[in-house]
Amino acid sequence: MRLPGAQFSSCQKRRYIVHIDLDAFFASVEVLLNPSLKGKPLVVGGLPHERGVAATCSYEARKYGVHSGMPLRECYKLCPEAIFVRGNYHLYQSFSEKFFQILHDYTPDVEEASLDEAYLEFTRCGQLYSSFTEVAKDIKCRVEREVGLSVSVGAASNKILAKLATRRAKPGGFFELQPGEEEEFLRELDISAIPGIGPKAQVMLRLLNVHKIADLWRLPLATLRSLFGVMGDELYLLSRGIDYRPLQTRGKSESFSRETTFLQDVWDRDLLLAHLAYLSDRLALTLRQEKFYAQVIEVKARYSDFKTVSKRRFLSMPVQEMNRIYRVAEELFLELWDKSRLTLRLVGVKGSRLVEERHLSLFEFYQEKDERLSQALDRVRERYGFTAVLTGREKMLGEVYEEDKGRGFILKTASLTR
Ligand code: DCP
Ligand code: CA
């Protein structure tokens, strides 16, 4: 079967997108800092008999069927000889920052898709470089040399194809998809390769005998719409390698969130609020660093049986101060928290509907002091570390978590979303 729709991708101005993703990120950092781990199965995220799941694992561990998101106990069953480490999020974050710093040297159009993954667009850089392919290879070498980690790079004419090219290049390779090769490239790939086709969708599609991307081409748009609603249109296009999505560059972030899974399930109200306060504080810091105000604050909670609930509020005045975020977060949390249910395993706070400025209304004029307080707080923390100034509520976490040299508490799983 020919790839339907391919003809209209060719009428577009050809873009050049590079997707770049660090290999087994957390595990590679651990190996870099402790070379005796090299070549061994390694699981990052906790010790074998702890609760929780693997954040990631080395490629050697993957041979045993271990993968990220798998409960630690199951990892241990599959690969008892693996080395287990808890990991250190602040450390990985500093590697991530170094990684992005390099990428921003090459083009202003960088989408930081996750902690270790980015898209770069060179379409606007035509005058700057004689060969985009050489630039892509150069970025790969520089990341390997300066960050010290193995990285995979894919290049193509849009985001989906570039991401799939990286998948082909893993681990440690470079793959550039040439125009005209899309159909052959996509045909044999498993449907799970398409972002947006999650586990549930896969089950549904496999029941219809759709396993490979080429099988998806047989389904009419109307069928996809009835199965996936509005997402059906996107899947129709993505499966054909057609993708007009622009890069979400920094200024265009849609939300920031901070969440954590607890070391042990928590029921104690004060301890829950202490976590919420700390996460609000970290969220506020990110918002100020990125120079955004959030107009919507959302709180999320997950019970020990994984039931997840959330509640959001639209604010008349956008916020970026810890005490304002926390005030809303606490209210929302107490509204959604059902004490009669099980203990909680996770809480999170999110700020969305980001805006770059706000106008203090007359009534709220006096609240300008909150803003000055935040600025003073930032200055003190810049010099003495994040934990140098904490609210009474947050201090309670000092009894539960270790500190990372003043930079913050070492939570079990820090949020990966920006
Ligand atoms: N991560 C996590 N929890 C998950 C998935 C990932 O904490 N459920 C963390 C650990 C990973 C990092 O994010 O090292 C990057 O995620 P990737 O999905 O890119 O996975 P890796 O980089 O580990 O491996 P790969 O080589 O497949 O990209
Ligand atoms: Ca990765």
Side-chain angles (χ1 to χ4, degrees), residues 21-25 116-117 170:
D21 185 300
L22 296 169
D23 299 322
F25 177 36
D116 76 329
E117 179 189 354
K170 263 186 186 294

Side-chain angles (χ1 to χ4, degrees), residues 21-27 53-57 59 62 68-69 114-117 152 170-171 413-414 416:
D21 185 300
L22 296 169
D23 299 322
F25 177 36
F26 292 3
V53 297
T56 192
C57 56
Y59 278 75
R62 293 182 198 192
S68 60
S114 75
L115 209 57
D116 76 329
E117 179 189 354
S152 302
K170 263 186 186 294
T413 44
L416 293 179

Side-chain angles (χ1 to χ4, degrees), residues 44 61 67 78 114 147 160 168 203 213 244 298-299 366 390-391:
V44 183
H67 57 77
L78 288 174
S114 75
V147 186
I160 178 87
R168 161 78 72 90
V203 170
I213 290 186
Y244 301 118
E298 179 173 333
V299 165
Y366 66 95
L390 292 174
T391 61

Side-chain angles (χ1 to χ4, degrees), residues 45-235:
L47 304 181
H49 298 292
E50 282 179 344
R51 39 174 292 113
V53 297
T56 192
C57 56
S58 63
Y59 278 75
E60 289 80 3
R62 293 182 198 192
K63 289 185 200 141
Y64 295 81
V66 173
H67 57 77
S68 60
M70 180 180 268
L72 292 161
R73 279 171 216 184
E74 210 173 316
C75 300
Y76 181 71
K77 263 191 224 149
L78 288 174
C79 184
E81 62 270 49
I83 296 161
F84 286 74
V85 296
R86 288 209 173 104
N88 177 343
Y89 182 80
H90 293 289
L91 179 68
Y92 309 141
Q93 195 160 36
S94 67
F95 274 83
S96 169
E97 278 162 19
K98 216 181 325 168
F99 169 62
F100 288 124
Q101 245 169 31
I102 295 175
L103 305 185
H104 283 281
D105 278 353
Y106 288 85
T107 163
D109 299 328
V110 178
E111 172 177 335
E112 300 180 7
S114 75
L115 209 57
D116 76 329
E117 179 189 354
Y119 293 91
L120 285 78
E121 177 146 17
F122 289 95
T123 319
R124 290 201 291 157
C125 305
Q127 310 293 321
L128 225 52
Y129 301 109
S130 55
S131 158
F132 292 148
T133 310
E134 289 312 311
V135 182
K137 287 184 183 163
D138 185 54
I139 297 172
K140 178 168 165 8
C141 291
R142 231 187 109 192
V143 169
E144 282 163 350
R145 201 173 55 236
E146 293 180 24
V147 186
L149 302 176
S150 167
V151 67
S152 302
V153 177
S157 59
N158 62 39
K159 285 170 74 175
I160 178 87
L161 292 172
K163 190 175 169 84
L164 293 173
T166 299
R167 190 171 172 270
R168 161 78 72 90
K170 263 186 186 294
F174 171 72
F175 181 74
E176 184 177 55
L177 189 69
Q178 303 299 336
E181 289 178 356
E182 295 87 350
E183 186 181 333
E184 278 322 298
F185 175 68
L186 292 170
R187 174 178 296 283
E188 292 300 311
L189 294 180
D190 191 82
I191 47 169
S192 58
I194 298 187
I197 303 195
K200 272 191 206 153
Q202 280 175 49
V203 170
M204 205 150 62
L205 288 168
R206 290 189 204 285
L207 285 174
L208 296 171
N209 212 17
V210 171
H211 303 282
K212 292 184 173 163
I213 290 186
D215 299 330
L216 265 179
W217 299 342
R218 282 192 283 110
L219 300 186
L221 179 59
T223 310
L224 286 171
R225 277 187 185 151
S226 66
L227 289 173
F228 298 105
V230 279
M231 270 301 291
D233 289 64
E234 178 142 290
L235 286 183

